[in-house]
Amino acid sequence: FSDPFLNRRRANDFIRADTRLRAITQERIRERSKASQEHQRELCEDYYPCEMYAFRHGYPAAYKHYFGGRRRTK
């Protein structure tokens, strides 16, 4: 008879703690420093008209159309 479940000590043999922590740290660093194109795409995805425009013309064109002129200074 073989038990399908592993005890904690045996389960930890598969994945080392240091590699898990390193992977989590690297993921958090990637989340903080996003590429500008990824940031623009996320802004466009959050605004429905921009997203619909992007389906037809692409995300760079949609971002430029909806958010391109907003950085004007007085």
Side-chain angles (χ1 to χ4, degrees):
F1 175 71
S2 178
D3 188 13
F5 300 102
L6 299 173
N7 65 21
R8 290 182 185 177
R9 189 175 302 157
R10 183 87 170 118
N12 287 334
D13 290 341
F14 292 104
I15 300 175
R16 301 280 180 230
D18 59 343
T19 55
R20 286 184 296 181
L21 291 175
R22 192 177 316 128
I24 290 169
T25 304
Q26 289 174 350
E27 181 64 27
R28 288 186 181 154
I29 290 170
R30 273 187 243 119
E31 286 176 358
R32 275 189 253 139
S33 59
K34 291 183 180 177
S36 63
Q37 291 175 337
E38 185 177 357
H39 182 69
Q40 290 174 358
R41 183 178 177 131
E42 287 178 355
L43 281 174
C44 193
E45 286 175 346
D46 290 341
Y47 186 55
Y48 185 73
C50 184
E51 188 176 20
M52 291 295 105
Y53 191 91
F55 286 142
R56 183 172 290 240
H57 302 284
Y59 280 100
Y63 181 83
K64 190 174 184 181
H65 179 78
Y66 284 98
F67 302 107
R70 292 196 176 189
R71 294 188 178 236
R72 296 181 185 158
T73 57
K74 292 183 180 181

